[in-house]
Amino acid sequence: GAVVSQHPSWVICKSGTSVKIECRSLDFQATTMFWYRQFPKQSLMLMATSNEGSKATYEQGVEKDKFLINHASLTLSTLTVTSAHPEDSSFYICSARDSLLSTDTQYFGPGTRLTVL
Amino acid sequence: ILNVEQSPQSLHVQEGDSTNFTCSFPSSNFYALHWYRWETAKSPEALFVMTLNGDEKKKGRISATLNTKEGYSYLYIKGSQPEDSATYLCAFKAGTASKLTFGTGTRLQVTL
């Protein structure tokens, strides 16, 4: 149980294009999902907290207009990197918390490797 | 900015060896400490959520201890196996509504 899928697993795009990454909780409902970014040899850094039916909460330094988050259902959150540039190349990974459990555990997807040329 | 440190950065052991590594975190405003196991090309897998000072948790050959007063947690693996090869992440949570702050992980490689 508690499986989170993420799609695509990798993507290469040209500078200036937008890329959408999907995060799905497959066997549980997730009111709250999280989006992280990891640069080489660094830790997972929280970008934003995605709340079903409301606006995402962004961490300091993360541009909300550049990283659009939509959490329209209890099982799906999307992250769109708009007008991507080479410096946006990174590993993006999502996680979700089971709405019905009181546990604090976050269940992670496998991540998306984004390369912007 | 919360500082969560893990040591060592990487570790190479032989099959059957027991090993341990450390996660250091701020000792003030502690709420929870999470451990995850992350195999290459897979999703990080939750191992433990630890909340009380002195907590000891066990899952098979893996166990963890927690000292919130001095700000550290140890993860132990008894009789390491090649399938234990992974990066082990810890994440600190301060307060009920705050985010998880991750360490950079300890990369464990177990060889035959």
Side-chain angles (χ1 to χ4, degrees):
Chain A
V3 178
V4 175
S5 71
Q6 199 171 327
H7 179 80
S9 54
W10 59 270
V11 56
I12 301 172
C13 70
K14 291 183 179 179
S15 188
T17 60
S18 295
V19 174
K20 182 187 280 189
I21 303 169
E22 292 187 350
C23 178
R24 291 181 188 271
S25 56
L26 298 185
D27 50 2
F28 64 97
Q29 293 182 337
T31 312
T32 305
M33 291 183 171
F34 304 89
W35 287 97
Y36 294 85
R37 179 169 52 184
Q38 185 183 38
F39 291 108
K41 299 193 177 182
Q42 295 188 23
S43 59
L44 294 177
M45 294 295 293
L46 182 66
M47 299 174 66
T49 302
S50 168
N51 302 296
E52 187 266 335
S54 64
K55 291 182 180 179
T57 304
Y58 289 80
E59 293 299 303
Q60 193 172 6
V62 179
E63 299 175 57
K64 65 176 83 173
D65 294 331
K66 174 134 184 98
F67 299 100
L68 299 179
I69 290 172
N70 185 279
H71 192 158
S73 79
L74 286 171
T75 59
L76 173 64
S77 176
T78 60
L79 169 69
T80 301
V81 183
T82 62
S83 187
H85 290 285
E87 57 266 29
D88 298 323
S89 297
S90 188
F91 184 75
Y92 294 86
I93 189 168
C94 69
S95 70
R97 225 159 39 198
D98 190 325
S99 305
L100 299 181
L101 300 179
S102 59
T103 177
D104 215 18
T105 301
Q106 292 184 21
Y107 301 100
F108 282 84
T112 297
R113 173 76 56 192
L114 170 64
T115 303
V116 185
L117 301 176
Chain B
I1 297 177
L2 299 173
N3 197 24
V4 179
E5 294 186 356
Q6 290 188 248
S7 63
Q9 281 190 339
S10 63
L11 197 52
H12 190 162
V13 302
Q14 299 288 316
E15 183 182 17
D17 288 349
S18 293
T19 187
N20 66 85
F21 20 94
T22 307
C23 173
S24 301
F25 51 85
S27 55
S28 60
N29 199 23
F30 176 88
Y31 184 79
L33 193 283
H34 295 229
W35 280 101
Y36 286 86
R37 179 173 173 274
W38 194 359
E39 286 183 71
T40 303
K42 294 188 178 179
S43 303
E45 171 198 354
L47 289 175
F48 306 113
V49 178
M50 309 182 79
T51 55
L52 297 175
N53 183 45
D55 250 357
E56 286 191 32
K57 297 213 171 181
K58 190 175 180 182
K59 187 176 184 177
R61 293 178 292 97
I62 305 176
S63 60
T65 60
L66 179 68
N67 184 324
T68 60
K69 295 189 187 309
E70 295 182 40
Y72 65 83
S73 175
Y74 293 141
L75 190 80
Y76 300 91
I77 301 179
K78 186 177 177 182
S80 303
Q81 299 296 309
E83 58 264 31
D84 296 328
S85 298
T87 297
Y88 291 82
L89 298 175
C90 70
F92 169 77
K93 185 170 184 179
T96 57
S98 78
K99 63 184 182 180
L100 287 181
T101 300
F102 281 83
T104 52
T106 292
R107 186 184 176 100
L108 173 68
Q109 190 172 355
V110 183
T111 52
L112 296 170

